[in-house]
């Protein structure tokens, strides 16, 4: 049977040379340039639309990621410059969603455990907004993406360090103010359901935390879930925020219900009820 989202798949694939090279990459091999059609993001769109990980483009992107894997667990996604935890998390997350479980992914998981901050999260030490008390905190979005990847790891069921990371994100629900060197906050933009998952927002926050048992029992998770459900219409997720360059795609039209986003919501609810 033909994939019902084939038109969207074709539309995404039509951008595969936009950044100057094949597979959504740049000529010098950058995998996170050209948003929203970066190599890492585009791979996630295609997987969300039901494209097999065996597809030639996804296999090529995976090969590019694997070629950047280092012995210390970090993953280089650009030819030069610092390697920030968020970059490794995003690259690892793609590999995990594609089903990879190998020495490279295991080293990346070990890297995150070895660099976990005292507050439970992970921190990108890039001080674009200067230094202040708030920059001593971990980076919420980096932590969220890392936890998204970790749900594919056996550590999900065995290591309480992941529950510490989930607790850090739950504390942010109470704090609300922008924290970390990157100044991630919980405000009106955060509350808008963004789909596909590509930023720090209420829907992605809940979806990832729903994999962590201690989180779903927490008062703050329940409050966040009630907030999301209060923004739904007729039991469907309405796409409230999406990159303008993605808004023409049928699976994530702004202001309209999304069948695929609603499917993710139902998956979330099943985990909450379990």
């Amino acid at each position: 049977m033909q994939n019902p989202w084939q038109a969207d798949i074709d539309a995404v694939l039509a951008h595969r040379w936009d950044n100057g090279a094949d597979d959504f990459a740049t000529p010098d091999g950058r995998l996170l340039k050209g948003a929203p059609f970066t190599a890492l993001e585009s791979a996630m769109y295609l997987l969300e639309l039901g494209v097999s990980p065996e597809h030639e483009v996804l296999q090529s992107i995976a090969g590019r990621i694997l070629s950047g894997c280092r012995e210390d667990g970090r993953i280089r996604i650009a030819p030069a410059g610092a390697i920030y935890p968020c970059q490794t998390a995003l690259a690892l997350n793609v590999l995990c969603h594609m089903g990879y479980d190998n020495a490279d992914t295991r080293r990346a998981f070990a890297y995150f455990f070895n660099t976990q901050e005292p507050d439970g999260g992970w921190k990108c030490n890039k001080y674009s907004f200067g230094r202040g008390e708030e920059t001593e905190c971990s980076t919420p979005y980096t932590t969220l993406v890392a936890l998204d990847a970790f749900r594919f790891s056996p550590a999900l069921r065995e290591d309480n360090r992941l529950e510490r990371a989930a607790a850090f994100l739950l504390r942010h629900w109470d704090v609300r103010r922008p924290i970390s060197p990157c100044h991630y906050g919980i405000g009106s933009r955060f509350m808008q359901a963004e789909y596909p998952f590509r930023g720090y927002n209420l829907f992605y926050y809940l979806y990832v935390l729903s994999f962590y048992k201690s989180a779903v029992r927490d008062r703050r998770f329940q409050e966040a879930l009630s907030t999301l459900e209060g923004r739904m219409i007729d039991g469907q997720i309405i796409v409230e925020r999406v990159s303008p360059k993605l808004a023409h795609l049928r699976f994530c039209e702004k202001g309209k219900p999304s069948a695929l986003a609603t499917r993710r919501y139902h998956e979330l609810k099943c985990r909450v009820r379990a």
Side-chain angles (χ1 to χ4, degrees), residues 1-260:
M1 293 178 62
Q2 185 178 23
N3 188 314
W5 305 103
Q6 190 60 49
D8 283 353
I9 293 169
D10 293 340
V12 173
L13 288 172
H15 291 274
R16 62 187 285 189
W17 297 280
D18 284 7
N19 297 319
D22 201 357
D23 309 321
F24 306 92
T26 63
D28 61 354
R30 296 176 188 273
L31 305 183
L32 200 59
K33 191 171 181 63
F37 291 107
T38 67
L40 298 184
E41 291 176 298
S42 298
M44 295 296 283
Y45 307 151
L46 293 172
L47 291 167
E48 186 73 355
L49 288 164
V51 176
S52 168
E54 300 303 317
H55 189 284
E56 61 173 343
V57 171
L58 290 175
Q59 284 293 299
S60 185
I61 292 174
R64 289 176 181 269
I65 296 171
L66 291 168
S67 70
C69 291
R70 297 167 58 109
E71 287 297 318
D72 63 5
R74 294 180 298 163
I75 304 176
R76 178 170 288 285
I77 60 172
I83 304 175
Y84 292 106
C86 61
Q87 298 169 340
T88 295
L90 289 164
L92 173 62
N93 200 33
V94 173
L95 292 177
C96 289
H97 277 78
M98 289 184 65
Y100 280 85
D101 177 14
N102 57 22
D104 291 314
T105 59
R106 289 190 288 273
R107 279 193 293 265
F109 286 133
Y111 157 76
F112 279 108
F113 278 138
N114 291 335
T115 58
Q116 191 170 19
E117 297 288 334
D119 63 11
W122 289 277
K123 181 179 181 181
C124 293
N125 291 306
K126 183 179 180 182
Y127 295 87
S128 302
F129 300 94
R131 292 177 182 264
E133 180 183 355
E134 77 284 355
T135 64
E136 297 176 5
C137 299
S138 290
T139 307
Y141 182 52
T142 300
T143 303
L144 186 64
V145 177
L147 285 179
D148 194 0
F150 264 115
R151 66 185 174 89
F152 293 92
S153 166
L156 173 65
R157 297 175 294 277
E158 302 169 357
D159 203 307
N160 63 11
R161 287 175 291 184
L162 298 181
E163 301 297 340
R164 286 179 52 219
F168 163 73
L169 291 175
L170 290 168
R171 287 195 297 275
H172 197 206
W173 181 259
D174 284 334
V175 172
R176 299 294 176 106
R177 71 178 187 273
I179 59 173
S180 83
C182 297
H183 279 201
Y184 280 99
I186 291 181
S188 58
R189 283 175 58 84
F190 175 91
M191 296 299 178
Q192 296 172 353
E194 182 177 13
Y195 185 78
F197 298 142
R198 60 182 301 270
Y200 190 58
N201 73 95
L202 178 66
F203 189 21
Y204 189 31
Y205 177 89
L206 284 165
Y207 186 81
V208 172
L209 285 177
S210 69
F211 286 92
Y212 296 86
K213 290 185 177 180
S214 64
V216 300
R217 297 190 295 266
D218 193 278
R219 176 262 310 169
R220 293 159 293 189
F221 179 92
Q222 295 297 329
E223 288 178 3
L225 181 56
S226 293
T227 300
L228 176 69
E229 292 176 334
R231 304 179 77 97
M232 297 172 65
I233 297 177
D234 295 330
Q236 299 182 82
I237 293 289
I238 305 300
V239 178
E240 298 177 285
R241 185 152 59 94
V242 65
S243 169
K245 292 183 179 180
L246 298 175
H248 67 286
L249 300 175
R250 190 164 58 88
F251 85 111
C252 59
E253 292 179 275
K254 185 175 181 179
K256 295 185 178 182
S258 167
L260 292 184

